[in-house]
Amino acid sequence: MSDPGTKRVRAGAVAKGTRAELDDLGVSPDSNASAAAAMRLAKLMDSTADPKEVAAAARELRQAMNTVRGLAPPKDRGDKIDELAARRPRNTA
């Protein structure tokens, strides 16, 4: 039998978006507690219909993701100058 105090959580749109952002940041919920908390909060948001629970979970999710973003390794995405240099034809003479 299940404990009446436990709630089944499901992964929906919020969890999918959170997972996509974590993947983009290169942070795994398996090795980062804040990322794991963010995934759990996202699933909780997807699973509840109570507006107060959703608001509280959203607030905590935002805080957890801010923490994850701050700890994520920087990405080398380049800038406009790098993009233009890559497009410039090379002289092979």
Side-chain angles (χ1 to χ4, degrees):
M1 286 209 229
S2 68
D3 180 8
T6 60
K7 178 185 274 193
R8 282 192 156 277
V9 293
R10 64 178 181 82
V14 179
K16 183 178 177 182
T18 302
R19 171 64 75 176
E21 185 172 353
L22 290 173
D23 289 346
D24 184 54
L25 290 169
V27 178
S28 170
D30 297 331
S31 61
N32 183 296
S34 293
M39 284 305 303
R40 175 70 179 174
L41 289 163
K43 289 176 184 177
L44 181 63
M45 286 180 65
D46 286 334
S47 302
T48 189
D50 181 13
K52 289 182 182 178
E53 283 186 40
V54 171
R59 192 170 38 254
E60 293 301 319
L61 174 59
R62 184 174 57 245
Q63 185 64 34
M65 288 305 294
N66 282 337
T67 301
V68 170
R69 287 182 201 109
L71 296 173
K75 291 189 133 186
D76 184 22
R77 295 184 187 220
D79 59 9
K80 286 290 183 188
I81 301 298
D82 294 333
E83 187 179 317
L84 291 171
R87 283 195 229 160
R88 181 178 178 192
R90 304 283 180 213
N91 291 334
T92 57

